[in-house]
Amino acid sequence: MSPPGLPGEAEEYLDRLVLEKGRSANTIDAYRRDLADYLSFGAERGWRPGDVTADDVLEWVRARLGVGLAEATVRRGLTTVRNFHKWLVVEDLRPDNPTLTVELPQVPGGLPKALSQDDVALLVAAPRGQKARERRSRSANRAGAERPDGLTPRERAIEERDSAILEALYGTGVRVSELVGLSLGDIDLPSASIRVLGKGAKERVLPLGRLAAAALAEWLAGGRGELAPKRWASRSDREAVFLNQRGRRLSRQAVYQIVRQHGVDAGLGANLTPHVLRHSFATHLLDNGADIRAVQELLGHAKVTTTQIYTSVSRERLFSVYAEAHPRARLAPRA
């Protein structure tokens, strides 16, 4: 059965592939099926090609893996979607390509890979670790201490910012797009909560744990002022919670780089992403007895079926604990 008709921009993209690239009918049919699946998945969630985020694309990829599609099939579909968005940028139909930071998850069966609680502790400590400090000193091409702790004021500010980012990602489970979209008015430290604008412009208020609240308070009271420019480039920058070194609102790509670099510093490899911290947040809550409906609300999932993927991760954890702890589970099998 052929896929349903596509939106105008997708049909135009496929026409260009035939007319300008000479793609075969079979190739176009495969592209059409990929785009139909992607766009119908998005339509059910209120997405449009012009406002899709990297998190949205990654959700689609994980959904395809979750229903058992072969990795090669999912990879081909992601390539199709990536090229479609590249064409949208060329045609000035959107300003950026949201698929550039999306990689096919290397997780068997499409299940998210969560960090252990010990690994999380290593990661959130990494911005203040020796490796991070040495790296910043080398990049600044300086030697010697300008402060008793060996940090310049700006280096100290970056430490505070990165610590607050990691604590907030793990402590609240927010999407990276929600994190960089935070403005000062969204932070309520007295009540230890933040307000985020999720998919479909749905607002939710999330609790801040003690460590996340402390890290945010430290950043807002000290480091943020150090990175603030003498003159703001825009109102959005002036109200942003997280700033880059030029005093502009921090980008999604910058957060990916921050998480990846501190993953390396913590000895966790070079493939860590903000989404892994979101997975870890959900998995650790369920491992410790949280109700799945509460986790659904915290994550901002429209459907509980989206959240249920984490119950599989926690179930694996339960079986692992059983295998390690139950005396008869640890008996060697008989020949």
Side-chain angles (χ1 to χ4, degrees):
M1 184 174 67
S2 61
L6 299 177
E9 62 265 37
E11 291 287 3
E12 184 179 350
Y13 168 65
L14 294 177
D15 287 344
R16 293 287 184 90
L17 291 181
V18 174
L19 297 174
E20 298 178 7
K21 303 292 185 180
R23 296 289 189 264
S24 70
N26 287 339
T27 298
I28 294 299
D29 284 344
Y31 289 171
R32 179 179 292 277
R33 286 192 295 272
D34 290 333
L35 287 174
D37 185 87
Y38 169 68
L39 293 170
S40 63
F41 184 89
E44 292 174 358
R45 290 156 179 79
W47 311 344
R48 295 176 301 173
D51 57 20
V52 168
T53 68
D55 287 337
D56 296 333
V57 178
L58 186 57
E59 183 179 345
W60 172 70
V61 169
R62 290 192 179 282
R64 301 197 93 197
L65 288 170
V67 298
L69 290 180
E71 182 177 307
T73 300
V74 179
R75 191 179 299 279
R76 186 203 68 205
L78 179 57
T79 299
T80 299
V81 169
R82 183 173 285 135
N83 288 334
F84 172 57
H85 278 285
K86 181 179 179 180
W87 177 79
L88 290 176
V89 173
V90 170
E91 295 297 312
D92 291 327
L93 296 176
R94 67 170 291 156
D96 62 335
N97 186 341
T99 69
L100 293 180
T101 58
V102 177
E103 298 177 359
L104 193 67
Q106 301 297 313
V107 183
L111 294 177
K113 174 69 173 177
L115 297 175
S116 70
Q117 294 183 46
D118 288 342
D119 284 346
V120 170
L122 290 174
L123 178 65
V124 297
R128 303 177 191 273
Q130 189 61 32
K131 289 185 178 180
R133 291 185 175 186
E134 290 175 354
R135 173 168 43 78
R136 281 192 288 267
S137 293
R138 287 195 302 271
S139 66
N141 193 25
R142 67 173 182 82
E146 298 183 33
R147 286 169 53 117
D149 56 12
L151 299 176
T152 67
R154 290 184 71 81
E155 288 171 343
R156 168 62 70 185
I158 292 168
E159 271 196 5
E160 293 174 358
R161 182 199 66 189
D162 291 2
S163 292
I165 286 171
L166 295 175
E167 289 282 7
L169 286 171
Y170 175 66
T172 66
V174 291
R175 302 175 178 94
V176 64
S177 55
E178 294 168 345
L179 181 90
V180 298
L182 285 172
S183 293
L184 295 175
D186 297 323
I187 309 296
D188 189 345
L189 291 175
S191 70
S193 65
I194 63 172
R195 182 179 63 240
V196 300
L197 194 63
K199 294 179 180 178
K202 292 182 178 178
E203 183 180 288
R204 66 189 193 279
V205 176
L206 302 174
L208 276 176
R210 177 175 56 85
L211 296 176
L216 275 169
E218 182 181 33
W219 157 247
L220 293 174
R224 186 182 182 278
E226 184 63 38
L227 295 187
K230 293 182 179 178
R231 184 173 182 178
W232 295 100
S234 69
R235 179 178 178 180
S236 174
D237 293 338
R238 184 173 67 248
E239 296 178 351
V241 170
F242 294 109
L243 304 174
N244 63 22
Q245 295 191 56
R246 299 184 302 278
R248 304 296 301 272
R249 182 180 287 270
L250 201 65
S251 69
R252 297 179 65 264
Q253 290 78 10
V255 175
Y256 269 84
Q257 181 57 36
I258 287 167
V259 173
R260 184 177 295 114
Q261 183 61 66
H262 290 307
V264 172
D265 292 341
L268 302 177
N271 297 317
L272 203 61
T273 68
H275 225 67
V276 173
L277 290 173
R278 181 169 161 86
H279 296 330
S280 303
F281 165 84
T283 302
H284 295 168
L285 282 174
L286 290 166
D287 280 346
N288 287 286
D291 178 77
I292 190 171
R293 292 287 183 179
V295 176
Q296 176 193 359
E297 291 295 325
L298 291 169
L299 292 174
H301 287 159
K303 299 179 180 179
V304 74
T305 51
T306 309
T307 315
Q308 284 173 342
I309 190 171
Y310 297 103
T311 64
S312 299
V313 178
S314 293
R315 191 177 301 118
E316 288 185 359
R317 170 63 181 156
L318 289 176
F319 274 74
S320 175
V321 169
Y322 170 79
E324 293 173 3
H326 195 281
R328 297 196 69 80
R330 289 183 277 116
L331 291 177
R334 294 179 180 178

